[in-house]
Amino acid sequence: MAATEFSLVTEPWIPVVLTGEERRLVSLRDLFSGQIEVIALRGDSPTQDYAVLRVIIAIYVRAHVLYSDYDLTDARELRTWRREQWTAADGAVRDDQVLEYLSDHADRFDLLSSEVPFMQVADLRTKTGGQLPVRRLIPEAEGDRFTMRAGAGVETLGFAEAARWLIHVHAFDYSGIKSGVLDDPRVKGGKSYPIGTGWSGYTGGTTILGRNLRQTLMLNCPDSVFLESDADLPAWEREPDRPGARAAEIPQGACDLMTWQSRRAHLHHNGEHVTGCMVTNGDRIPDAGANVLNDPMTPHRYSTNKSSRTQDVFYPQPYSPERTMWKALEPLVSLGGDVPLEKKAKPGKRPQNLDWFSAAARSVPGVPTLAPVRLTSMTYGPQSATITEVVDAAVELPAAVLQEEDAYARQAVLGAARSTLDAGIAIGSFAGWLLQAAGDEYVFQAPATDSFLAMLEQPFRKWLRTVPTDDTEQVDAAVADWHTQVFQAATDQAAILIKGAGPRALIGRTIPEGEGMRTHSAATALSRLRRSLTKTLARATQIIRTEKEIRHDS
């Protein structure tokens, strides 16, 4: 029988992992019914999980703002509420406030509604009445790029999966020219011209993971999300969108941003499957997110070029797909004064949820002192007109390293990460010198750097979990231990590279350099590498003897 409604409140559509690693599709009501304990979301992609989680966070926040017995704008009552919620989050406990909220707004969560379909415009159409294939919703399936999907899986979508990808489009869609739709005053010549990516595409998604989903929701709701203006509403609490942009395109707060309607969309269906769609431009984020600081789940960088004497300008900072963990640590944990800055530069702003976590670890009983953090970003091609890569990385951060008063330990951790990155760059240079010694031109070998840093990621995560914070001598000893590990790893990697470089690199060659001649060989390259490592890993060189010293002693 053909469906005329698909309620996200009651129909299963969210892929989750339950206790015991059981996987299941659940509804919004299931998440808060107390009948099951959901550990985490596990959908079709990391960016999809992030986008869906933020919809759930917005529901959770709004439900408790509206229906809690506490005034969550009062600091004392908010603390009491948090303690109660954290206790309730330790297992499968019913959340009556969220269930009441979902019941009151159920009409706005119907994916197939003929009047107010979820995150869609009911009468969205072009002049010709055409529609796009459903693959337009799925980054990996759009166009003729390789996809693991096959056959009808690309031609139609079930309602559950279509709902997930619809949320993803609003969060991460690429920029570029879209189909022009009727009643959108921005359309020119049948085209809707670029307004930028979805909001989450600008950001470095930072999710603190609790033992289960309920803990995750709390850990990513800093106090600021409860103190926004009354205008901070998710999409389903506002008047339904029409073609074209909202009259005011200034984000009003965290819930507004978590459900930001960057596109106008409509799903076409035959009562059994989604068979097509329309996606065009919606609400533009002004100035690429300049000073949009309401999102608690992203770091922000300071812009020297855009700032002036009278105004500081910050932009959301996405995570790099290259050497993600090593580059991400600074925007994640640093505070003012932790890292050297260029002239006129100012410190960035780390994610607000990490500030809340660092405080909660001391003030809320049961909040862990060590939390897994998932990093999620999307990278785009030229003019952000194509999606190129998904960033998905993880790191465990001790709460103490985040706390303002533990600056010595925090700066030591940041320094350890920077020195490791520098050592990796030295390995890339060393591999290039070996090429030169073998008769080729010098070219920096980025793959050698990436391989070296990837090899050290897991040991660094393990080391980070054990860094002491209350004794400077112990912190220094921990850094020396890490420098020692990196020095040894670099020495081992150098030996492997020398072996692979062949006999010509061992023999070397003499080439003109300046006004004289210079010999380039594996031995001279190794000597240069050691000098670089001695400078970069200064604390390790105090306790590591060189091979020459070892041979001398023997």
Side-chain angles (χ1 to χ4, degrees):
M1 184 171 134
T4 58
E5 66 175 40
F6 186 86
S7 171
L8 304 187
V9 174
T10 58
E11 295 288 344
W13 64 280
I14 307 168
V16 300
V17 177
L18 306 179
T19 51
E21 288 297 311
E22 178 188 352
R23 294 197 179 193
R24 187 187 301 181
L25 282 181
V26 300
S27 68
L28 288 170
R29 182 175 290 170
D30 292 334
L31 291 178
F32 298 96
S33 67
Q35 300 298 311
I36 56 175
E37 183 178 7
V38 175
I39 303 303
L41 306 189
R42 195 70 56 82
D44 306 296
S45 77
T47 47
Q48 186 194 88
D49 286 345
Y50 181 72
V52 172
L53 174 66
R54 282 160 63 84
V55 167
I56 298 169
I57 291 174
I59 291 170
Y60 178 75
V61 169
R62 289 298 298 163
H64 284 275
V65 166
L66 294 175
Y67 298 110
S68 175
D69 293 332
Y70 296 99
D71 177 5
L72 301 186
T73 63
D74 179 272
R76 182 177 297 178
E77 293 197 35
L78 178 58
R79 285 195 298 270
T80 302
W81 174 83
R82 282 196 183 280
R83 292 190 182 98
E84 289 186 3
Q85 285 293 304
W86 188 262
T87 300
D90 190 21
V93 177
R94 180 183 176 91
D95 192 321
D96 289 316
Q97 285 79 19
V98 174
L99 294 177
E100 183 178 358
Y101 178 84
L102 291 172
S103 177
D104 287 350
H105 294 87
D107 62 316
R108 296 296 298 272
F109 286 91
D110 182 0
L111 192 70
L112 308 183
S113 171
S114 59
E115 297 181 358
V116 285
F118 176 76
M119 285 192 168
Q120 300 167 72
V121 176
D123 56 351
L124 193 70
R125 62 188 187 280
T126 63
K127 186 176 181 179
T128 62
Q131 56 182 274
L132 303 171
V134 293
R135 64 169 61 92
R136 169 64 181 85
L137 302 171
I138 308 172
E140 70 161 13
E142 190 172 8
D144 295 323
R145 296 196 300 271
F146 169 79
T147 173
M148 296 297 291
R149 308 174 68 93
V154 182
E155 303 305 321
T156 64
L157 289 176
F159 297 136
E161 186 178 5
R164 300 193 298 270
W165 286 121
L166 174 66
I167 293 170
H168 186 273
V169 160
H170 285 294
F172 288 103
D173 194 33
Y174 53 82
S175 188
I177 296 174
K178 314 292 183 189
S179 300
V181 296
L182 298 177
D183 300 324
D184 184 348
R186 300 171 297 182
V187 171
K188 297 179 181 179
K191 297 179 180 179
S192 181
Y193 287 89
I195 64 168
T197 70
W199 164 248
S200 293
Y202 290 105
T203 71
T206 308
T207 308
I208 306 172
L209 301 175
R211 188 188 64 77
N212 57 28
L213 180 63
R214 293 287 289 278
Q215 288 188 1
T216 297
L217 296 182
M218 283 211 65
L219 289 171
N220 292 284
C221 290
D223 291 356
S224 59
V225 304
F226 301 102
L227 305 176
E228 301 287 1
S229 71
D230 292 339
D232 178 29
L233 303 175
W236 50 85
E237 283 193 55
R238 295 188 284 102
E239 287 296 315
D241 289 321
R242 305 294 303 160
R246 278 194 275 172
E249 290 188 332
I250 304 299
Q252 299 298 309
C255 291
D256 193 7
L257 283 168
M258 289 181 182
T259 62
W260 188 259
Q261 300 294 278
S262 68
R263 300 294 178 257
R264 297 293 180 262
H266 186 73
L267 303 180
H268 296 270
H269 66 95
N270 60 10
E272 296 181 352
H273 300 91
V274 173
T275 57
C277 65
M278 177 52 58
V279 177
T280 190
N281 286 317
D283 298 331
R284 171 180 171 269
I285 290 288
D287 301 322
N291 285 346
V292 177
L293 305 176
N294 311 89
D295 193 324
M297 299 176 71
T298 182
H300 291 80
R301 61 176 179 84
Y302 176 80
S303 173
T304 304
N305 292 336
K306 296 293 185 179
S307 297
S308 65
R309 291 183 179 180
T310 59
Q311 184 182 38
D312 291 338
V313 176
F314 295 86
Y315 287 93
Q317 182 173 353
Y319 295 116
S320 170
E322 299 174 350
R323 306 160 195 170
T324 303
M325 189 188 74
W326 306 105
K327 293 182 178 181
L329 203 60
E330 185 175 310
L332 278 174
V333 307
S334 66
L335 294 172
D338 284 344
V339 296
L341 299 171
E342 296 179 359
K343 187 177 180 180
K344 296 184 179 181
K346 293 185 179 181
K349 297 178 182 293
R350 68 187 187 189
Q352 296 170 34
N353 55 354
L354 290 177
D355 287 332
W356 142 243
F357 165 64
S358 69
R362 288 186 171 180
S363 63
V364 179
V367 170
T369 56
L370 182 73
V373 178
R374 189 175 187 182
L375 312 179
T376 310
S377 278
M378 187 79 82
T379 63
Y380 300 87
Q383 299 179 317
S384 299
T386 57
I387 289 173
T388 57
E389 194 170 347
V390 170
V391 176
D392 181 34
V395 63
E396 284 186 301
L397 294 178
V401 170
L402 297 168
Q403 287 156 1
E404 187 172 359
E405 58 270 31
D406 289 316
Y408 191 84
R410 183 170 57 256
Q411 291 166 14
V413 166
L414 292 168
R418 281 196 303 274
S419 61
T420 307
L421 186 57
D422 289 343
I425 292 171
I427 287 290
S429 297
F430 174 73
W433 298 330
L434 290 179
L435 282 179
Q436 190 178 38
D440 293 328
E441 293 295 320
Y442 170 82
V443 178
F444 178 80
Q445 297 297 295
T449 293
D450 294 338
S451 175
F452 177 75
L453 292 174
M455 177 179 64
L456 286 173
E457 279 195 12
Q458 193 58 36
F460 184 79
R461 291 191 183 102
K462 182 178 179 180
W463 175 82
L464 183 58
R465 292 196 295 267
T466 63
V467 173
T469 60
D470 54 356
D471 186 296
T472 57
E473 290 186 2
Q474 291 182 11
V475 172
D476 290 341
V479 172
D481 176 68
W482 177 248
H483 279 197
T484 303
Q485 291 185 55
V486 177
F487 193 103
Q488 187 61 58
T491 301
D492 294 344
Q493 188 71 5
I496 293 171
L497 290 170
I498 289 173
K499 185 175 181 181
R504 292 184 63 186
L506 292 174
I507 297 170
R509 61 180 179 138
T510 302
I511 60 175
E513 191 166 306
E515 297 181 355
M517 304 293 287
R518 182 169 180 175
T519 298
H520 291 269
S521 67
T524 61
L526 184 59
S527 178
R528 293 175 70 183
L529 173 64
R530 286 190 175 280
R531 287 197 298 272
S532 177
L533 293 176
T534 298
K535 181 179 179 181
T536 298
L537 304 168
R539 297 187 183 182
T541 59
Q542 296 172 10
I543 55 177
I544 290 183
R545 296 182 299 172
T546 65
E547 290 181 4
K548 182 178 179 180
E549 291 171 325
I550 295 173
R551 288 198 301 270
H552 181 269
D553 289 348
S554 61

